[in-house]
Amino acid sequence: ETGVTQTPRHLVMGMTNKKSLKCEQHLGHNAMYWYKQSAKKPLELMFVYSLEERVENNSVPSRFSPECPNSSHLFLHLHTLQPEDSALYLCASSQGARHGYTFGSGTRLTVV
Amino acid sequence: QKEVEQDPGPLSVPEGAIVSLNCTYSNSAFQYFMWYRQYSRKGPELLMYTYSSGNKEDGRFTAQVDKSSKYISLFIRDSQPSDSATYLCAVSFSGGYNKLIFGAGTRLAVHP
């Protein structure tokens, strides 16, 4: 596979569930990102990992927990979410500061 | 004040029209300017990338940056129905990793 792959594509979970989103990049990039995309709002940066170290956490509630075990994989662990957390969660990767991102297709999350 | 402002549209044009999409930004320190295209149920894909002021052309697409007025534009010539998508502008500083700040996106519909 090439590019950035996200699984699952769709996820419906109850507020008491625990689930994880997975992202894998096959591009040899050194930075990975989680973004949240809600209707009619700009993409919201959640977490940044550069060289496997978390370098940014934009005041994201603790019910979202990222994990980056190596430079190719990124996870977002979810627990006790709220209905307002329903959104498209996008993973992206990049190489260096002068290049744009490559995005995955996202996970459409619905919290019921 | 938002860091990046973008009219969400929707914008509806006939096939063959010239389309102009625009964003304004607030911080004069931004140095990299990008346009992403996002089709329904897909992640954004990088369309155009510009460093500093000036124009950049790629086929039917032209990106324009005016740093003096903090204004970025994307022009699409001879628009096609396949151009129907949401277009997101993004800006970034130079730095160790690439933190992009996105506009809300403009939804474009090109009808035959």
Side-chain angles (χ1 to χ4, degrees):
Chain A
E1 285 200 55
T2 58
V4 178
T5 305
Q6 286 188 248
T7 54
R9 291 295 306 275
H10 301 273
L11 178 62
V12 179
M13 60 185 289
M15 288 190 283
T16 58
N17 290 159
K18 289 185 179 181
K19 296 286 184 183
S20 296
L21 310 185
K22 179 183 176 182
C23 177
E24 185 174 0
Q25 61 102 354
H26 309 270
L27 301 166
H29 288 170
N30 61 9
M32 297 186 77
Y33 312 80
W34 281 115
Y35 275 85
K36 176 183 179 182
Q37 188 174 34
S38 304
K40 299 183 180 179
K41 293 175 70 175
L43 272 75
E44 300 172 49
L45 179 63
M46 300 177 71
F47 301 104
V48 181
Y49 278 82
S50 178
L51 298 173
E52 302 166 38
E53 180 182 344
R54 191 193 312 178
V55 294
E56 192 151 339
N57 174 348
N58 277 343
S59 303
V60 178
S62 59
R63 56 186 184 269
F64 295 91
S65 174
E67 179 189 0
C68 186
N70 56 60
S71 60
S72 299
H73 293 86
L74 185 65
F75 295 89
L76 188 62
H77 303 299
L78 316 171
H79 65 97
T80 60
L81 295 192
Q82 305 298 310
E84 60 265 28
D85 297 322
S86 299
L88 181 68
Y89 288 84
L90 289 162
C91 173
S93 68
S94 73
Q95 178 66 29
R98 296 189 173 190
H99 304 279
Y101 294 170
T102 301
F103 280 94
S105 293
T107 295
R108 174 68 62 185
L109 173 67
T110 304
V111 181
V112 297
Chain B
Q1 182 184 14
K2 291 180 182 177
E3 291 187 280
V4 181
E5 299 267 11
Q6 183 176 11
D7 186 339
L11 184 62
S12 181
V13 301
E15 183 175 355
I18 297 174
V19 176
S20 173
L21 303 167
N22 309 291
C23 289
T24 58
Y25 61 93
S26 58
N27 192 331
S28 58
F30 291 128
Q31 295 191 2
Y32 298 95
F33 307 91
M34 282 154 261
W35 285 95
Y36 284 80
R37 177 175 62 195
Q38 185 174 20
Y39 291 114
S40 181
R41 299 186 186 88
K42 295 283 189 180
E45 58 177 330
L46 182 63
L47 196 59
M48 299 286 286
Y49 179 98
T50 310
Y51 172 68
S52 195
S53 281
N55 292 359
K56 186 173 183 178
E57 189 173 319
D58 184 1
R60 297 185 294 110
F61 298 89
T62 300
Q64 197 171 77
V65 176
D66 182 348
K67 293 191 74 177
S68 62
S69 57
K70 303 191 189 71
Y71 197 83
I72 57 177
S73 302
L74 178 70
F75 299 97
I76 307 174
R77 292 184 299 281
D78 187 25
S79 56
Q80 302 295 309
S82 58
D83 296 327
S84 298
T86 297
Y87 290 80
L88 304 114
C89 61
V91 298
S92 73
F93 306 98
S94 70
Y97 62 90
N98 193 2
K99 175 182 174 180
L100 295 186
I101 299 165
F102 287 85
T106 300
R107 185 183 295 182
L108 171 67
V110 181
H111 51 86

